[in-house]
Amino acid sequence: MAVSPPTRLALRGDLLDFTAAPAWGDTASTAVRFRPDHHLLVEGGRIVGAQPAAEPLDPSWSVADHRGHLVLPGFIDTHVHSPQLDVIASHGTALLDWLDTYTFPAERRYADPAEAEAGAARFLDALVAHGTTSAVVFATVHKVSADKLFEAAQARGMRLITGKVLMDRHAPDGLRDDVEQAERDCTDLIARWHGVDRLAYAVTVRFAPTSTPEQLAMAGRLCASHPGVYMQTHVAENVDEVKWVAQLFPEARSYLDVYARAGLMNARGVFAHGIWLDDTDRALLHDHQALIAHSPSSNLFLGSGLFGWRAAEAAGVAVAVASDVGGGTSLSIQRNLADAYKVQAMAGERLSAWTALHAATRGAALGLGLEGEIGSLEAGATADVCVWDWAAGPVPHAHVGRGAALGLGLEGEIGSLEAGATADVCVWDWAAGPVAQRRHAVATALHEKVFAWMTLSDERNLAAAYVAGIPRHQRGAALPC
Ligand code: GUN
Ligand code: ZN
């Protein structure tokens, strides 16, 4: 059933977005625009302005009263794999083994249109339920997997950039294409979906090892002959991967240079990871205005390495944030930002909440050439808006974990849901529990409050998500598509 937005909708809450890029480490940045207790005015699915809630509103506005909640632009996940929800949190491997052991077998299932359709719906609903309203997504090698993702995003009114994965070697049966068929599939998908509603095509090179030089050249030709399309791939994620690329492409100066030689560097390029780059690579990324999709939870989970955000920033390279699920362990952008902070802390750097949240909203939009459309609460932007708990909420019941029960010699009695245990059971309501509430209450400066929120919150804090002005997620409620 198609859902149309209320003509005039005023979202009441504490509005926060960015009008410029905050300087690294500046916790008092004037690039932050905080408008407590305001109405965000949405008309026909677009933001048309904002005004203090105390100012009277014409009765033609319907009000969604989210007072006391933090209202942010919907997050933009710049690198995530739709079929990999099935392998999130898989134990025990680094990148190359992880691909062989878990990921490739799961992706093979998407040859089946029914599986691809169900997976696309599950994935996009999960994104929105985590506060992500736009994404740059890897489908699988199967044309149908991209088709189904586009269809599902269109039905939800979402901004989605995706494409069929290119992979013609070093992948198992059922997951390889060939140059000619892949070119036909991509051309077809571009004609069918690129520029339709809020959708865009990305030429999707999985990574250099799984494409022959001929396929990389074909991908470069596709980018050249369709100037508006994006290009997404992985680069310099893992040291064994980097060594493998050096063996496969001895003529290239570096991993990134493999892509440069194939004509894959452009302002619509989204490069995931970029951990093991050098200054020449960073200069190349800067010169082509390409975007790095930093994926901290994935980098930690797979043991890939610590991304040098400061070096990228010093070289003028645009950096956005990504979940990279299923290498990443959560679709929650806050969880990924909390990990990003810890990755930078390991290098003695301190990521501010402003740089972090900017990278997940306006910064990502800029990197994708979509500023003015997504990533801010500015008049003219599409009303992709999320409403978050950030202060008071119901206080959860006391909870005793199994570890504590063991320590007390009371395992079997309390601390588990095992048959035989006493039925001491908690039902958690809001994720904004007493620890986060207390931290919020004692924080004084805005940065302190928002940093604590970013570090302590996740998708359980999401009260509502609007996509183009339509509520697509409301806690506890089922909403129609
Ligand atoms: N490199 C090539 N494919 C993948 C993938 O699916 N996930 C990650 N994290 N890295 C990759
Ligand atoms: Zn990835």
Side-chain angles (χ1 to χ4, degrees):
M1 180 183 66
V3 182
S4 46
T7 319
R8 304 185 107 193
L9 175 67
L11 302 176
R12 180 171 181 176
D14 301 331
L15 315 184
L16 192 143
D17 68 344
F18 299 90
T19 55
W24 185 272
D26 181 3
T27 56
S29 174
T30 54
V32 182
R33 176 166 55 177
F34 183 55
R35 293 172 285 182
D37 202 16
H38 271 59
H39 281 128
L40 183 71
L41 305 175
V42 175
E43 203 164 354
R46 287 202 176 259
I47 296 167
V48 294
Q51 64 181 53
E55 278 179 21
L57 261 186
D58 179 292
S60 63
W61 291 92
S62 7
V63 176
D65 193 347
H66 298 296
R67 85 183 73 171
H69 287 77
L70 183 61
V71 176
L72 297 177
F75 288 133
I76 303 164
D77 189 337
T78 51
H79 176 73
V80 57
H81 299 253
S82 65
Q84 293 183 15
L85 282 187
D86 289 4
V87 297
I88 190 170
S90 291
H91 176 259
T93 50
L95 174 66
L96 299 176
D97 285 344
W98 175 82
L99 286 171
D100 288 337
T101 310
Y102 300 114
T103 308
F104 288 156
E107 294 193 5
R108 219 168 1 200
R109 292 201 280 274
Y110 279 64
D112 174 0
E115 188 76 36
E117 184 172 352
R122 193 164 54 236
F123 170 74
L124 292 181
D125 288 344
L127 275 190
V128 175
H130 285 74
T132 294
T133 51
S134 300
V136 185
V137 182
F138 269 58
T140 66
V141 73
H142 316 101
K143 182 184 182 190
V144 69
S145 71
D147 240 340
K148 297 296 180 189
L149 260 178
F150 278 125
E151 265 172 34
Q154 186 180 44
R156 288 160 180 74
M158 289 177 73
R159 181 158 282 282
L160 194 87
I161 300 168
T162 191
K164 160 214 138 47
V165 170
L166 296 170
M167 191 153 57
D168 67 346
R169 66 168 170 174
H170 298 141
D173 291 349
L175 278 187
R176 286 188 309 276
D177 53 13
D178 61 60
V179 177
E180 291 72 29
Q181 184 61 46
E183 185 166 14
R184 277 196 297 277
D185 287 352
C186 291
T187 309
D188 212 23
L189 287 164
I190 291 168
R192 196 177 315 164
W193 293 111
H194 184 66
V196 173
D197 296 336
R198 306 185 72 199
L199 310 172
Y201 194 79
V203 173
T204 302
V205 175
R206 177 166 218 124
F207 67 158
T210 45
S211 285
T212 56
E214 294 71 31
Q215 189 173 64
L216 293 176
M218 182 275 284
R221 284 198 306 276
L222 279 175
C223 292
S225 54
H226 301 89
V229 301
Y230 291 86
M231 195 291 300
Q232 59 176 341
T233 192
H234 297 87
V235 70
E237 174 178 3
N238 162 293
V239 287
D240 291 334
E241 171 210 20
V242 174
K243 284 185 202 151
W244 192 21
V245 170
Q247 285 163 12
L248 292 170
F249 300 91
E251 71 286 2
R253 193 203 68 81
S254 68
Y255 190 157
L256 189 70
D257 188 42
V258 173
Y259 298 136
R261 286 163 171 260
L264 293 168
M265 300 292 305
N266 58 59
R268 298 213 149 200
V270 181
F271 292 86
H273 308 295
I275 298 169
W276 306 102
L277 300 174
D278 63 16
D279 286 346
T280 309
D281 293 326
R282 282 185 279 267
L284 193 64
L285 287 164
H286 169 256
D287 291 348
H288 287 89
Q289 296 178 285
L291 181 67
I292 290 272
H294 170 38
S295 309
S297 86
S298 168
N299 297 162
L300 294 171
F301 184 73
L302 294 176
S304 302
L306 304 176
F307 172 66
W309 195 327
R310 269 327 281 284
E313 133 129 5
V317 178
V319 177
V321 173
S323 70
D324 191 29
V325 161
T329 48
S330 177
L331 289 175
S332 160
I333 291 295
Q334 296 102 299
R335 287 204 174 198
N336 279 280
L337 295 179
D339 281 344
Y341 179 85
K342 294 168 195 165
V343 167
Q344 295 314 305
M346 289 300 292
E349 295 288 346
R350 297 291 180 254
L351 178 68
S352 73
W354 303 146
T355 295
L357 288 169
H358 181 264
T361 54
R362 181 180 176 273
L366 273 168
L368 297 170
L370 292 171
E371 66 279 12
E373 163 61 16
I374 54 173
S376 87
L377 303 179
E378 192 62 61
T382 300
D384 291 346
V385 179
C386 288
V387 179
W388 299 94
D389 297 334
W390 77 320
V395 178
H397 305 85
H399 175 82
V400 179
R402 181 170 178 275
L406 276 170
L408 294 167
L410 291 172
E411 67 282 12
E413 165 62 23
I414 58 171
S416 84
L417 302 178
E418 197 55 64
T422 304
D424 288 352
V425 179
C426 299
V427 179
W428 288 76
D429 248 332
W430 291 5
V435 172
Q437 286 165 28
R438 173 68 186 162
R439 186 65 186 87
H440 182 86
V442 298
T444 50
L446 180 64
H447 183 268
E448 189 185 2
K449 281 188 189 291
V450 176
F451 180 75
W453 173 82
M454 180 186 102
T455 307
L456 299 174
S457 70
D458 60 26
E459 72 277 12
R460 290 168 293 178
N461 290 61
L462 185 65
Y466 296 82
V467 176
I470 297 176
R472 292 286 178 192
H473 175 84
Q474 225 145 33
R475 189 166 31 217
L479 292 167
C481 183

